[in-house]
Amino acid sequence: MLQTKDIAIVILNWNGKALLKTFLPSIIKYSEDAVIYLADNASTDDSVAFVTAHFPKVILIQNTENGGYAKGYNDALKHVKEPLLCLLNSDIEVTKNWLQPILSEFNGPDPTAIIQPKILDYKNKSNFEYAGAAGGFIDKYGYPYCRGRIFETIEEDHGQYNANTTIFWASGACFFIKNAVFKSLNGFDESYFAHMEEIDLCWRAFNSNYLTKYVGASTVYHVGGATLSNTNPKKTYLNFRNSLFTLLKNADSNIAFKLWFRMVLDGVAGMRFLFQFQPAFLFAILKAHFAFYSNLPRLLKQRKQLPKRSGYYKTTSIVWSYFIKKQRQF
């Protein structure tokens, strides 16, 4: 029977003193006997010294370079032995008893490997937060969406997603995973650097017959965009590139058609940015596609090696449902 002391809360940090100062107190206060780690990605500010001086309970892991979210966690988690991992963004406020419902689900009859709590917006606490909301799904062409958030439409929380349920992917903002499962899947794909690596990991977990769950009785509040804003073209580049990586590596069948149609849809998105007088985002999509082409040999090799499983998507196309049929809620 797993207990709170079996949880390692691992916070990845890069020059995040202000965030740590704001959010570490709630994590320490409400995490009882859980072991708290700060995994520092070679910060150049004084965030490490600040945590060492003010939060001696926190165990420090110092990475030698800033490898982004993926490599940063892969490097840090080699030093973590607890059976349950909680990968927690530095801009998350946790709440009282947030860990107990998570433990109850892990200790339940289902062979659950990954869990996400309810993620609400720190700046508007009645609304779901963009990065994860009430659990993620993916469509036929590799576009991710969430219960409570589809593209830019975000729902208010009225308790409509309180029940525990199986989901396809859990948000990296607050990501619980069994340590043994993380290691069996060889962790995150470090070529992603940041963004969508958790979706790739959850897809590989799904294809290996692991179960991912959403637990609505556990709530956290996420600032979102604290390290890379949604208005930054680099984020657009990483999301489009990594989404293509993920689709090619993990989708079960008809991959040539899916990729071709995905190219068409990405082209439409690029033209939309152009008509909105945002050429930097169009160039970010083009750059993402060229990066995808240059990585094809490696991705095809991974595709051949990884297991596949059907039944991963809930709808034919979320783009069609959202933009043509005007479906705005899950």
Side-chain angles (χ1 to χ4, degrees):
M1 184 72 68
L2 293 165
Q3 303 175 46
T4 312
K5 65 182 178 61
D6 296 316
I7 301 175
I9 299 171
V10 188
I11 303 162
L12 194 65
N13 173 65
W14 182 71
N15 293 343
K17 178 182 175 181
L19 294 173
L20 295 169
K21 186 176 181 180
T22 300
F23 295 107
L24 253 182
S26 77
I27 298 167
I28 292 171
K29 181 178 180 180
Y30 294 128
S31 299
E32 302 170 358
D33 298 325
V35 184
I36 303 173
Y37 294 85
L38 181 74
D40 186 70
N41 255 358
S43 292
T44 55
D45 69 354
D46 62 343
S47 52
V48 170
F50 169 77
V51 171
T52 301
H54 293 88
F55 303 101
K57 179 181 178 181
V58 176
I59 300 171
L60 180 63
I61 301 172
Q62 290 187 287
N63 294 333
T64 57
E65 62 178 311
N66 178 18
Y69 185 100
K71 180 172 171 53
Y73 267 122
N74 282 354
D75 288 346
L77 294 177
K78 294 173 185 176
H79 306 283
V80 177
K81 305 303 180 186
E82 284 76 17
L84 284 182
L85 306 173
C86 171
L87 313 186
L88 191 69
N89 275 19
S90 58
D91 58 348
I92 289 275
E93 179 185 77
V94 304
T95 59
K96 188 176 181 179
N97 295 323
W98 70 298
L99 294 176
Q100 296 310 316
I102 303 292
L103 278 173
S104 295
E105 188 63 41
F106 273 123
N107 286 323
D110 293 334
T112 303
I114 299 170
I115 289 177
Q116 179 201 303
K118 179 187 288 187
I119 304 179
L120 299 178
D121 188 345
Y122 178 77
K123 293 168 285 189
N124 185 0
K125 292 189 173 182
S126 62
N127 282 13
F128 286 98
E129 208 278 317
Y130 184 93
F137 292 88
I138 204 158
D139 84 343
K140 187 174 183 178
Y141 303 109
Y143 286 107
Y145 60 101
C146 306
R147 300 191 314 158
R149 190 274 298 170
I150 302 177
F151 290 107
E152 302 302 321
T153 301
I154 296 173
E155 294 181 42
E156 191 171 351
D157 176 27
H158 298 295
Q160 68 270 41
Y161 303 121
N162 280 357
N164 294 5
T165 189
T166 299
I167 56 176
F168 184 70
W169 60 267
S171 170
C174 186
F175 186 95
F176 290 83
I177 185 169
K178 290 180 177 176
N179 201 341
V181 172
F182 185 83
K183 289 179 170 59
S184 75
L185 296 170
N186 297 314
F188 294 115
D189 185 331
E190 295 179 7
S191 69
Y192 282 51
F193 186 78
H195 298 294
M196 292 199 67
E197 61 281 285
E198 79 271 42
I199 299 177
D200 170 65
L201 183 67
C202 287
W203 201 333
R204 287 187 279 123
F206 173 85
N207 284 345
S208 297
N209 296 306
Y210 289 114
L211 193 63
T212 299
K213 287 286 198 73
Y214 163 83
V215 174
S218 175
T219 300
V220 300
Y221 298 97
H222 184 213
V223 174
T227 54
L228 194 59
S229 168
N230 286 330
T231 60
N232 191 322
K234 183 177 180 181
K235 190 167 190 173
T236 299
Y237 162 73
L238 289 170
N239 278 331
F240 275 80
R241 185 199 67 173
N242 294 349
S243 181
L244 289 168
F245 283 6
T246 303
L247 180 65
L248 177 54
K249 284 169 55 181
N250 300 301
D252 60 332
S253 61
N254 299 320
I255 190 61
F257 174 76
K258 287 173 183 174
L259 282 172
W260 173 81
F261 198 71
R262 175 60 187 268
M263 301 295 178
V264 173
L265 293 174
D266 284 3
V268 172
M271 295 308 297
R272 184 167 174 260
F273 281 128
L274 185 63
F275 292 141
Q276 292 174 341
F277 303 103
Q278 295 179 302
F281 292 90
L282 167 61
F283 288 122
I285 294 174
L286 292 172
K287 182 182 175 184
H289 278 247
F290 282 116
F292 172 68
Y293 304 143
S294 68
N295 279 276
L296 273 175
R298 176 183 62 81
L299 294 166
L300 288 169
K301 183 179 179 180
Q302 287 180 297
R303 175 175 176 78
K304 187 176 180 180
Q305 294 171 339
L306 292 169
K308 302 292 180 292
R309 182 179 162 199
S310 61
Y312 61 86
Y313 55 88
K314 296 288 185 181
T315 183
T316 301
S317 169
I318 194 65
V319 174
W320 178 267
S321 298
Y322 184 85
F323 291 102
I324 305 302
K325 297 177 68 176
K326 306 300 182 183
Q327 180 180 334
R328 295 292 185 261
Q329 295 183 349
F330 183 88

